[in-house]
Amino acid sequence: MKFQRPNNASISHHLKILTRRPHVAGSQANAEAASYVVSVFTSSNIPSHIASYEVPLTYPLSRSLFLTNPPPQPPTIFTLHQETYEGDPYADVAHEVVPTFHAYAKSATVAAPVCYVNYGRVEDYLTIRENGVNVSGTVVLARHGKIYRGDIVKNAYDAGAVGVVIYSDRKDYGGGREGGWFPDEKWLPPSGVQVGTVYGGLGDPTTPGWASSGGECERLNRDEVEKGGEVPLIPSLPVSAADGEKIMRSVGGPVAQDDWQGSKDAPVYRLGPGPGILNLSYMEVITTIQNVIGVIEGAEEPERFVILGNHRDAWTFGAVDPNSGTAALLEIAQRLRKLQERGWKPRRTILLCSWDAEEYGLIGSTEWVEENREILASRAVAYLNADCAVGGPGFSARATPQLDELIKIATQQVKDPDNSSQSIYESWTSSGSSTLLGRLGGGGSDYASFLQHVGIPAADIAFGGGYPVYHSLYDDFVWMEKFGDPMFQRHVAAASVWGLVALWLADEEILPFDYLSYAKELQLSVKNLEDEISNKDISLSPIFKSIKELEKAAIKINNQRMEIEASKGWITREKDQLKVRELNDRLMMAERAFTDKDGLFGMSWYKHLIYGPSKHNDYGSQSFPGIEDAVKMAENLRSAESWHRVQHEVWRVSRVIKHASLVLVGQPT
Amino acid sequence: MKFQRPNNASISHHLKILTRRPHVAGSQANAEAASYVVSVFTSSNIPSHIASYEVPLTYPLSRSLFLTNPPPQPPTIFTLHQETYEGDPYADVAHEVVPTFHAYAKSATVAAPVCYVNYGRVEDYLTIRENGVNVSGTVVLARHGKIYRGDIVKNAYDAGAVGVVIYSDRKDYGGGREGGWFPDEKWLPPSGVQVGTVYGGLGDPTTPGWASSGGECERLNRDEVEKGGEVPLIPSLPVSAADGEKIMRSVGGPVAQDDWQGSKDAPVYRLGPGPGILNLSYMEVITTIQNVIGVIEGAEEPERFVILGNHRDAWTFGAVDPNSGTAALLEIAQRLRKLQERGWKPRRTILLCSWDAEEYGLIGSTEWVEENREILASRAVAYLNADCAVGGPGFSARATPQLDELIKIATQQVKDPDNSSQSIYESWTSSGSSTLLGRLGGGGSDYASFLQHVGIPAADIAFGGGYPVYHSLYDDFVWMEKFGDPMFQRHVAAASVWGLVALWLADEEILPFDYLSYAKELQLSVKNLEDEISNKDISLSPIFKSIKELEKAAIKINNQRMEIEASKGWITREKDQLKVRELNDRLMMAERAFTDKDGLFGMSWYKHLIYGPSKHNDYGSQSFPGIEDAVKMAENLRSAESWHRVQHEVWRVSRVIKHASLVLVGQPT
């Protein structure tokens, strides 16, 4: 049964409707977007329900920022307003956009001199110190871009700052660059602001590890949440390129080094400290969020779930982030209806999930996974995510490695939307990157709880990488039509790849998981690690050995798959079903075995020891985060004990890999 | 297909062979016992293999004890020797018995005055203090009986003692009581000593949470093990009733209260401190232990495991502890061969496990479970344990509550070996105890890692409770034939009940688990808890609510079972198999949902939040150990914060019960 090509007119229609109003999590407009998703599911003959959670979301009750200048100059007052443009079709609803702010920022009022700290990384603070500038007690001015904004605030706090202002430098995002900006060009206008969360955790901060289900549930109080270390303890605010430059002009002190400077017509950036007053406060409310879950029940194996997910809530209109993905999801729903009309039913159950409150910290998906953890752990086959499905040209995918082949095959069957003479796969492989597929070590979207908490094979696909109007007022349908995907062919391609992978996972009698890819990928990762710590007295042989065992087990199960496939016809059908199930269960459960109950050191919610966030690299997605963090710590502490802990982390990784190979084999020792 | 009645001649033959020599874990004699088990499995047409682990076991290299008396009396020297008797058929191998000692005791030499501390419980130390006696710096003399000997040592350490001597008071064990002792009576002779472990953990202390598998594996060093808090930090030694009395005569100070005194012809017990010197040292070696695993592969569902287990290693001859259970296990193997000869094959795989090094701290079973954790978590249906299967008359069983009904039905089908006019069930229910089945909250035998670490439904059965020659030289075949089970009919009955429960679990198409029993049992437990903390500001309504949900889910799945059973015949057979599997998986996995990754507070290896050891009651097997411990702590600390933690533990329990009900339902929210 063939998955019909998605339709660009239909996708763009979905996107237009989803993005007609700003729809931040918890808003009426987002509830209306949920209704739209439900209506498309219903008309696609897909039963759906709402899974609601009561969670605390913060909204800016009031915030203000002004800069005291040396007398006799008057203070500079910032309006913190993103401007609409002449002819903006969304000008009449722009006031519904949540005012620029940081979700889960600390409510407080501070007044202190300003220091410029570049991207606010740990190494930037070292540079500052080398320049003789003390940021303690200051408000730091950082620019967006290299690390997660929550870490910008965290690093500032660790350095002793009392407040943080983060701006979008026009060198990175446009922000008034020569040659223009949105609506004429794709670049961020001078008044554009990147809103976002500064929360360091996942899911409702008051219910760590369990669901904020309706009715009564245990909740941490504010003190306990602050002690948990995942919410910032100093206030912060995002500002525009224009406001950033204004503040920058006021900063005195040493001139910053070349690579800390802005674009060539920008003012000279200095380190400070210079005068400045930040003043802001927030309101926090417990509100209801709504995940929409569409269910196409499997005909043969209703208790095995292939899950597609995308979030629905947006900081503003969300044309790229996230509703390009939502539009693709709805298009898939409609394609599946066509299949159903022709008599198809999936072998396994397909869940289509529209998550809420992702922007605040993956809240909707995390609460749902925490609530359904035990069922998902024994029944979920894979989770396939799309967040910003389309922000420009160029396909990319990240996945757990047993899915690599499947994704490659899917991209071979879909034309490149920007070059119809070849497949996505051909364009992708000719892009020159040595590693085709990325990995899902970092946080950043709703796959996190599925993979990193429960150990469910996962993938995330997208067209286009970063885009300049990210999280600003200008991420709207006009931007998408003009710059992101004028013909909506990239949307079509994203829906095609996503849908094909899902269909195969739902319909193939034997799960198309290849653990040889996993073994190879682990081998590469451990080789990299070996280079990194070659001069230390750390033995990686436990990992090398366990990978060998995984490889053997993968070859064995691949052979068993072939045997079963060859034997069809003479085995009685009945036994066949349980035999296939037995094989599939090993393929499904092997990924779970990479999780460890104790989780990552100091981040015990993260149970996966191969892919997870590193404390030292939140945007990173390298392997073995526990080892990486232990190495970084040992390099700082230089104690025998800290290197001993590196070796311990090596052993832990080797043990989960061994567990995975035992699961693939399926027999107790 | 009927499970034939086990045979008493055959069982007694097994026991005789198994117990012909002392066979402590790690000894050649115990390897020979393993060979015997393998040979019986082989002749029963049951393939088996050895699962070996390298673990550190301690043996007494040398130990000595003497008492300095006030001059001019010479010191009293203790020979620490258990005497054989005239005509003892085992006299020639008695020298092979490991010298009396405590496994994992601290190697050290101490010399200090003696204090008598009754059973060495926390409350006993309070009494001592009220009597104005300071035990700090002394060697305490405690008697065996009320609490786990490891806790006697731990409490002594906490009270400041520098060493511990534990004796078997003749009031409790015989030890020279009027009327005689073994071989004339069942009682412990005056020189009899209760050997045992004083280790507080489970499994190899150098590999907490992972398997000590052959070849290379990570190991904690001695310092790290001691920091772990599970091995004693002061030396200890068990002594006989006679030696205990000798020491007691030397103790001065206040006369102990009445209920601390011995039998009426014993000397007057005083509290001390009085003079005494304890001198001992141990050798520790890494040795190989051997679990024997027999496998009868399931014909329909080879990947579902029903596991029967019993340990093989004994402190001495082990006629009661544990080889009465081993003999029953071997008998079951032979009964199953008869069934196989008549064409029977189990639907599911049956594993027959003979564990090693249980006496040292459940080492063999724990290492095996840690190694196979991921497979067992997704494939094990139930674990059925027997340790001291027969030590006297009177059936008892402990189980997770979904097995209650099954065990009752089995006992209705087997005659009471001590009253052939009625069933075991009839005798059992007429014994007057209000609660028929016990629970598996305490440690104490090999079910611990299956249930308390992984969440596998479990049971433990036995005839007879405590018996006086426990862990002494006299636990031999002669004692069994004379006192424990002269006709071996209790062995037959134990094998019958154990075998029937196993067969039903292996063969019933739908697993005979009843979660309504679980809900009822939880309801009782929470009512008890309510009485206990009624005057505190703790809300138990989250638990009551979650039990309601469990009850609803249990009723629902029981109805589904009936539907499936009713629909046989018209549903196609093929779908039927997967449908039955789906239902069975919910029944199997619901128990797992009672586990929580964080485990019990301060004892994180224990993942089960309903049944597990309480820090304050190691022999106890009550429910909700985490809540119980939090309550005890709050009653001591009396702080708002400590009561807040009680509420937190209540929430945690309510959440795992809710997870279990969601698993029974099987649908994500």
Side-chain angles (χ1 to χ4, degrees):
Chain A
M1 194 73 66
K2 204 170 139 49
F3 182 60
Q4 281 197 318
R5 192 165 176 282
N7 176 308
N8 58 344
S10 155
I11 292 193
S12 80
H13 175 72
H14 291 315
L15 187 66
K16 194 157 195 174
I17 291 176
L18 288 162
T19 61
R20 61 192 162 186
R21 286 172 60 193
H23 50 286
V24 73
S27 67
Q28 179 57 30
N30 202 36
E32 283 165 21
S35 300
Y36 181 69
V37 170
V38 168
S39 74
V40 175
F41 284 171
T42 304
S43 70
S44 303
N45 200 23
I46 296 173
S48 67
H49 61 273
I50 304 267
S52 308
Y53 300 92
E54 308 286 320
V55 300
L57 300 181
T58 67
Y59 302 102
L61 178 61
S62 71
R63 79 255 191 269
S64 68
L65 183 75
F66 60 91
L67 186 69
T68 327
N69 293 309
Q73 287 177 272
T76 311
I77 293 169
F78 299 95
T79 60
L80 307 175
H81 179 71
Q82 300 186 79
E83 283 162 26
T84 54
Y85 54 89
E86 184 83 26
D88 181 348
Y90 297 105
D92 59 326
V93 290
H95 68 279
E96 293 180 10
V97 168
V98 67
T100 55
F101 83 122
H102 282 156
Y104 297 116
K106 172 88 176 171
S107 283
T109 298
V110 293
V114 181
C115 277
Y116 168 59
V117 296
N118 198 22
Y119 293 106
R121 297 165 297 191
V122 171
E123 58 264 39
D124 293 331
Y125 285 96
L126 293 177
T127 305
I128 288 260
R129 204 159 54 185
E130 282 163 14
N131 277 277
V133 175
N134 181 2
V135 301
S136 183
T138 69
V139 171
V140 300
L141 177 68
R143 49 184 178 182
H144 277 301
K146 299 292 182 193
I147 60 172
Y148 169 55
R149 76 184 77 74
D151 287 331
I152 298 179
V153 179
K154 193 167 178 303
N155 292 342
Y157 174 78
D158 290 344
V162 297
V164 185
V165 172
I166 311 179
Y167 76 103
S168 304
D169 197 294
R170 63 171 131 147
K171 196 171 76 174
D172 300 306
Y173 296 89
R177 70 166 59 200
E178 264 181 274
W181 53 80
F182 187 70
D184 304 317
E185 299 290 338
K186 71 174 182 175
W187 301 103
L188 187 70
S191 72
V193 177
Q194 184 193 118
V195 172
T197 186
V198 287
Y199 175 42
L202 271 68
D204 182 342
T206 69
T207 64
W210 64 91
S212 310
S213 352
E216 223 184 349
C217 84
E218 182 182 21
R219 283 189 191 279
L220 305 190
N221 61 34
R222 181 181 300 264
D223 276 0
E224 289 167 320
V225 168
E226 291 200 344
K227 269 183 208 146
E230 306 286 23
V231 297
L233 301 176
I234 54 174
S236 64
L237 193 70
V239 301
S240 66
D243 288 351
E245 275 191 20
K246 259 191 215 162
I247 299 171
M248 197 70 85
R249 280 178 216 280
S250 81
V251 177
V255 173
Q257 63 196 56
D258 282 358
D259 59 339
W260 286 41
Q261 295 296 330
S263 50
K264 58 181 189 301
D265 54 339
V268 173
Y269 292 0
R270 291 172 179 273
L271 300 178
I277 290 172
L278 175 72
N279 188 318
L280 63 156
S281 70
Y282 293 123
M283 170 179 66
E284 186 173 4
V285 292
I286 291 262
T287 187
T288 301
I289 58 168
Q290 302 181 312
N291 298 324
V292 180
I293 315 286
V295 183
I296 309 176
E297 200 180 22
E300 312 284 323
E301 302 189 62
E303 72 277 23
R304 288 295 177 268
F305 310 140
V306 174
I307 307 170
L308 285 73
N310 153 267
H311 73 96
R312 189 182 65 252
D313 66 301
W315 282 125
T316 63
F317 296 94
V320 177
D321 184 3
N323 301 124
S324 57
T326 320
L329 186 74
L330 296 182
E331 182 64 19
I332 288 172
Q334 293 182 321
R335 294 299 112 185
L336 295 181
R337 185 196 56 188
K338 297 244 191 251
L339 282 185
Q340 292 204 59
E341 280 166 0
R342 286 182 291 153
W344 167 86
K345 279 173 182 305
R347 178 181 174 87
R348 304 186 179 87
T349 294
I350 297 175
L351 298 179
L352 304 172
C353 304
S354 169
W355 307 120
D356 204 347
E358 189 269 357
E359 294 295 2
Y360 277 80
L362 320 186
I363 312 253
S365 60
T366 303
E367 296 306 310
W368 190 80
V369 169
E370 287 176 346
E371 179 156 40
N372 296 293
R373 181 170 51 215
E374 299 297 323
I375 298 166
L376 295 173
S378 61
R379 304 192 157 197
V381 165
Y383 175 73
L384 307 173
N385 193 63
D387 187 332
C388 303
V390 182
F395 179 78
S396 68
R398 296 177 295 160
T400 47
Q402 76 277 64
L403 293 174
D404 286 6
E405 275 310 301
L406 195 67
I407 292 169
K408 286 178 195 168
I409 295 171
T411 58
Q412 284 161 1
Q413 304 208 355
V414 180
K415 282 209 169 21
D416 178 0
D418 292 289
N419 178 356
S420 64
S421 71
Q422 60 184 22
S423 70
I424 292 174
Y425 184 75
E426 286 166 305
S427 305
W428 193 19
T429 47
S430 65
S431 69
S433 163
S434 66
T435 53
L436 206 55
L437 278 118
R439 301 301 162 202
L440 296 166
S445 195
D446 294 304
Y447 56 79
S449 49
F450 290 91
L451 172 60
Q452 298 167 359
H453 190 53
V454 182
I456 296 168
D460 183 82
I461 62 156
F463 275 89
Y467 62 102
V469 297
Y470 171 68
H471 283 195
S472 77
L473 178 69
Y474 313 102
D475 180 5
D476 65 12
F477 191 78
V478 175
W479 190 92
M480 180 62 81
E481 238 183 347
K482 282 191 157 184
F483 307 110
D485 191 11
M487 299 300 294
F488 281 86
Q489 297 296 1
R490 295 169 193 153
H491 280 79
V492 167
S496 295
V497 173
W498 198 9
L500 279 175
V501 172
L503 263 192
W504 290 334
L505 287 172
D507 279 347
E508 287 288 312
E509 193 168 22
I510 299 183
L511 289 174
F513 286 172
D514 181 9
Y515 281 89
L516 261 181
S517 295
Y518 222 125
K520 279 181 202 154
E521 178 68 21
L522 290 175
Q523 186 75 12
L524 281 176
S525 301
V526 74
K527 285 249 158 93
N528 289 340
L529 183 65
E530 196 175 35
D531 296 341
E532 192 184 334
I533 58 171
S534 59
N535 56 340
K536 311 295 177 191
D537 191 23
I538 297 294
S539 163
L540 294 176
S541 77
I543 301 190
F544 281 113
K545 273 190 197 166
S546 65
I547 293 173
K548 271 267 167 288
E549 285 183 55
L550 183 67
E551 201 185 341
K552 264 193 279 180
I555 290 169
K556 195 169 168 188
I557 199 165
N558 285 352
N559 289 341
Q560 286 170 333
R561 169 207 306 257
M562 284 187 288
E563 270 168 43
I564 286 187
E565 279 166 352
S567 70
K568 293 268 182 67
W570 62 265
I571 291 188
T572 67
R573 214 29 213 163
E574 177 188 328
K575 280 208 177 175
D576 210 22
Q577 286 293 316
L578 281 179
K579 217 170 165 179
V580 166
R581 167 61 67 87
E582 191 276 334
L583 186 83
N584 281 336
D585 279 356
R586 286 187 270 147
L587 290 165
M588 176 178 78
M589 297 306 282
E591 182 75 41
R592 308 296 189 269
F594 291 120
T595 66
D596 178 272
K597 289 188 160 70
D598 294 334
L600 295 178
F601 183 76
M603 300 191 288
S604 68
W605 185 90
Y606 294 94
K607 305 298 184 192
H608 206 286
L609 299 194
I610 311 296
Y611 297 115
S614 153
K615 270 190 229 168
H616 294 83
N617 185 358
D618 254 293
Y619 270 1
S621 67
Q622 74 267 51
S623 310
F624 315 138
I627 301 178
E628 287 287 344
D629 278 349
V631 167
K632 287 285 173 299
M633 192 180 285
E635 282 172 348
N636 284 337
L637 298 178
R638 298 174 189 211
S639 64
E641 202 180 342
S642 63
W643 283 107
H644 186 66
R645 208 174 74 71
V646 172
Q647 187 67 61
H648 172 62
E649 293 291 338
V650 166
W651 279 112
R652 294 184 72 205
V653 166
S654 74
R655 289 195 289 264
V656 296
I657 297 173
K658 191 175 172 200
H659 277 305
S661 61
L662 283 173
V663 168
L664 282 182
V665 170
Q667 302 292 337
T669 57
Chain B
M1 194 74 63
K2 205 169 139 49
F3 183 59
Q4 281 197 316
R5 193 165 174 279
N7 176 309
N8 58 343
S10 155
I11 291 192
S12 80
H13 175 72
H14 292 314
L15 186 66
K16 196 158 194 173
I17 292 176
L18 288 163
T19 61
R20 60 192 163 186
R21 287 171 61 193
H23 49 287
V24 72
S27 67
Q28 178 57 31
N30 202 35
E32 283 165 20
S35 300
Y36 181 69
V37 171
V38 168
S39 74
V40 176
F41 283 172
T42 303
S43 70
S44 303
N45 200 24
I46 296 172
S48 68
H49 61 273
I50 305 267
S52 308
Y53 300 92
E54 307 286 321
V55 300
L57 301 181
T58 68
Y59 303 103
L61 179 60
S62 71
R63 78 259 191 266
S64 67
L65 184 74
F66 60 92
L67 187 67
T68 327
N69 294 309
Q73 287 177 272
T76 312
I77 294 169
F78 300 95
T79 61
L80 307 174
H81 180 70
Q82 301 186 80
E83 284 161 24
T84 55
Y85 53 91
E86 184 83 25
D88 181 349
Y90 297 106
D92 59 327
V93 291
H95 66 279
E96 293 181 9
V97 168
V98 67
T100 55
F101 83 122
H102 281 157
Y104 297 116
K106 172 87 176 172
S107 282
T109 297
V110 294
V114 181
C115 278
Y116 168 56
V117 296
N118 198 22
Y119 294 105
R121 297 166 296 191
V122 171
E123 58 264 40
D124 293 330
Y125 286 95
L126 293 177
T127 305
I128 288 261
R129 205 160 52 185
E130 282 162 13
N131 277 277
V133 175
N134 181 2
V135 301
S136 183
T138 69
V139 171
V140 299
L141 177 68
R143 48 184 179 182
H144 278 299
K146 300 291 182 193
I147 59 172
Y148 169 55
R149 76 185 76 74
D151 287 331
I152 297 179
V153 179
K154 194 169 178 304
N155 292 341
Y157 174 78
D158 290 344
V162 298
V164 184
V165 172
I166 311 179
Y167 77 103
S168 303
D169 197 294
R170 62 171 132 148
K171 196 170 77 174
D172 301 307
Y173 297 89
R177 69 166 60 200
E178 265 181 273
W181 52 81
F182 187 69
D184 304 318
E185 299 289 339
K186 70 173 183 177
W187 301 102
L188 188 69
S191 71
V193 176
Q194 185 193 119
V195 172
T197 186
V198 287
Y199 174 42
L202 272 68
D204 182 342
T206 69
T207 63
W210 63 91
S212 309
S213 352
E216 224 185 346
C217 84
E218 182 182 20
R219 282 191 193 278
L220 305 190
N221 62 34
R222 182 182 300 265
D223 276 0
E224 289 167 321
V225 169
E226 291 201 343
K227 269 184 208 147
E230 306 285 23
V231 297
L233 302 175
I234 54 175
S236 65
L237 193 70
V239 300
S240 66
D243 288 351
E245 276 191 18
K246 260 191 216 162
I247 298 171
M248 197 69 87
R249 281 179 215 279
S250 79
V251 178
V255 173
Q257 63 195 56
D258 282 358
D259 58 338
W260 287 40
Q261 295 295 332
S263 50
K264 57 181 189 302
D265 54 340
V268 173
Y269 293 180
R270 292 172 179 273
L271 299 179
I277 290 171
L278 174 71
N279 189 319
L280 65 154
S281 70
Y282 293 123
M283 169 180 68
E284 187 173 3
V285 293
I286 291 263
T287 186
T288 301
I289 58 168
Q290 303 181 311
N291 298 323
V292 180
I293 315 285
V295 183
I296 308 176
E297 200 182 21
E300 313 283 324
E301 302 188 63
E303 72 278 21
R304 289 293 177 270
F305 310 141
V306 174
I307 307 169
L308 285 73
N310 153 266
H311 73 96
R312 189 181 65 253
D313 66 302
W315 283 125
T316 64
F317 296 94
V320 176
D321 183 4
N323 301 126
S324 56
T326 320
L329 187 74
L330 296 181
E331 181 64 18
I332 288 172
Q334 293 182 321
R335 294 300 111 184
L336 295 181
R337 185 197 55 189
K338 298 245 192 252
L339 282 184
Q340 293 203 58
E341 280 165 0
R342 287 183 288 152
W344 166 86
K345 280 174 182 303
R347 178 181 174 86
R348 304 185 179 86
T349 294
I350 297 176
L351 298 179
L352 303 173
C353 304
S354 170
W355 308 120
D356 204 347
E358 189 269 358
E359 294 295 2
Y360 277 81
L362 320 185
I363 312 249
S365 60
T366 302
E367 295 307 311
W368 190 79
V369 169
E370 287 176 346
E371 178 156 38
N372 295 293
R373 180 169 51 214
E374 299 297 324
I375 297 166
L376 294 174
S378 60
R379 303 190 157 198
V381 165
Y383 175 73
L384 307 174
N385 193 63
D387 187 332
C388 302
V390 182
F395 178 78
S396 67
R398 296 177 294 160
T400 47
Q402 77 277 64
L403 294 173
D404 285 6
E405 276 309 301
L406 195 65
I407 293 169
K408 287 179 194 169
I409 294 170
T411 59
Q412 283 162 2
Q413 305 209 355
V414 180
K415 282 210 170 15
D416 179 359
D418 292 289
N419 178 357
S420 65
S421 72
Q422 60 185 20
S423 70
I424 292 174
Y425 183 75
E426 286 166 307
S427 305
W428 192 20
T429 46
S430 64
S431 68
S433 162
S434 66
T435 52
L436 205 55
L437 278 117
R439 301 302 161 202
L440 297 167
S445 196
D446 294 304
Y447 56 79
S449 49
F450 290 91
L451 172 61
Q452 297 167 358
H453 190 53
V454 182
I456 296 167
D460 182 81
I461 61 156
F463 275 89
Y467 62 103
V469 297
Y470 171 68
H471 283 196
S472 78
L473 178 69
Y474 313 103
D475 180 5
D476 65 13
F477 190 78
V478 175
W479 189 93
M480 181 62 82
E481 237 184 347
K482 283 191 157 184
F483 307 109
D485 191 12
M487 300 299 294
F488 282 86
Q489 298 295 2
R490 294 168 194 155
H491 279 78
V492 167
S496 296
V497 173
W498 197 9
L500 278 175
V501 172
L503 263 192
W504 289 335
L505 287 171
D507 279 346
E508 287 288 312
E509 193 169 20
I510 299 183
L511 289 174
F513 286 172
D514 181 10
Y515 281 89
L516 261 181
S517 295
Y518 222 126
K520 279 179 201 154
E521 178 69 21
L522 290 175
Q523 185 76 10
L524 282 176
S525 301
V526 74
K527 285 249 157 93
N528 289 340
L529 183 66
E530 195 175 35
D531 296 341
E532 193 185 334
I533 58 171
S534 59
N535 56 341
K536 310 296 177 192
D537 191 23
I538 297 294
S539 163
L540 293 176
S541 77
I543 301 190
F544 281 113
K545 272 191 197 165
S546 65
I547 293 173
K548 271 267 167 291
E549 286 183 55
L550 183 67
E551 199 184 343
K552 264 193 278 179
I555 291 170
K556 195 168 169 189
I557 200 166
N558 285 353
N559 289 341
Q560 287 171 332
R561 169 207 306 256
M562 285 188 286
E563 270 169 42
I564 287 187
E565 279 165 352
S567 70
K568 293 267 182 66
W570 62 265
I571 290 188
T572 67
R573 210 36 209 160
E574 175 188 329
K575 279 207 177 175
D576 210 20
Q577 285 293 317
L578 281 179
K579 216 170 166 178
V580 166
R581 167 62 66 85
E582 191 277 333
L583 185 82
N584 281 336
D585 279 356
R586 285 187 270 146
L587 290 165
M588 176 177 78
M589 297 306 283
E591 182 74 41
R592 308 292 190 271
F594 291 120
T595 66
D596 178 272
K597 288 189 161 71
D598 293 334
L600 295 178
F601 183 77
M603 298 191 288
S604 67
W605 185 90
Y606 294 95
K607 306 297 184 192
H608 206 286
L609 299 194
I610 311 296
Y611 298 115
S614 152
K615 268 190 231 167
H616 294 83
N617 185 358
D618 253 293
Y619 270 1
S621 68
Q622 74 267 48
S623 310
F624 314 139
I627 301 177
E628 288 287 344
D629 277 350
V631 167
K632 287 285 173 300
M633 191 179 284
E635 283 171 348
N636 284 336
L637 298 177
R638 297 173 189 211
S639 64
E641 203 179 342
S642 63
W643 282 107
H644 186 65
R645 207 174 75 71
V646 173
Q647 187 67 60
H648 172 62
E649 293 292 339
V650 166
W651 279 113
R652 293 185 72 205
V653 166
S654 74
R655 288 195 289 262
V656 296
I657 297 173
K658 190 174 174 200
H659 277 305
S661 61
L662 283 173
V663 169
L664 282 181
V665 171
Q667 301 293 338
T669 56

